[in-house]
Amino acid sequence: MNNQAHTVPAKPMNMLLDALHRLERYHEEVIDAEQRLATAKRSFDEHVAHLNTAYTAACNRAIELGEKNFPEQFALRGLALTFDDEGGCSVERRAIVEPYELLSWAKKAGEE
């Protein structure tokens, strides 16, 4: 058997040890990202809970001005916010498709 055809890494144990250390660092980064995400989610949820106070004040002001059809739904960069009569606010993510994206569909349909 030819030694050149079957080359073994010079330090396989050290390579494994290095790979394990890299994996540990990546795992720590994942944990940190999960913690940041959980904190951001809590802040987002708290803000949503406080939105109703601002909405109620704006709605009351609109009524004072004689407006009877104050909107209950708002669109905000991929979010749909809906206020209900019981003081709640729901937030949904909505995919936004830009009109220029229709060009790829037109290409697929042979229209371009």
Side-chain angles (χ1 to χ4, degrees):
M1 183 175 218
N2 188 348
N3 284 343
Q4 290 178 346
H6 191 59
T7 309
V8 177
K11 299 181 180 182
M13 299 301 172
N14 285 331
M15 289 176 61
L16 176 59
L17 185 60
D18 290 345
L20 291 173
H21 286 299
R22 280 193 305 275
L23 181 65
E24 182 180 32
R25 282 194 306 273
Y26 290 135
H27 183 249
E28 289 170 357
E29 289 177 18
V30 168
I31 290 171
D32 290 345
E34 289 172 342
Q35 290 171 345
R36 286 191 310 272
L37 179 60
T39 299
K41 178 75 171 115
R42 270 192 309 277
S43 296
F44 181 83
D45 290 343
E46 289 170 5
H47 192 72
V48 168
H50 294 297
L51 273 176
N52 197 58
T53 303
Y55 175 79
T56 301
C59 193
N60 289 338
R61 181 67 177 135
I63 291 169
E64 289 172 10
L65 297 172
E67 180 62 51
K68 295 180 182 172
N69 295 317
F70 196 72
E72 294 176 347
Q73 293 184 324
F74 297 87
L76 180 68
R77 292 188 184 185
L79 297 177
L81 290 86
T82 304
F83 293 92
D84 61 34
D85 294 336
E86 290 137 22
C89 175
S90 64
V91 179
E92 288 181 60
R93 283 188 182 170
R94 298 273 172 98
I96 296 176
V97 178
E98 296 291 334
Y100 72 86
E101 293 181 45
L102 288 174
L103 294 174
S104 64
W105 288 93
K107 246 183 212 181
K108 286 179 185 178
E111 297 179 12
E112 208 178 76

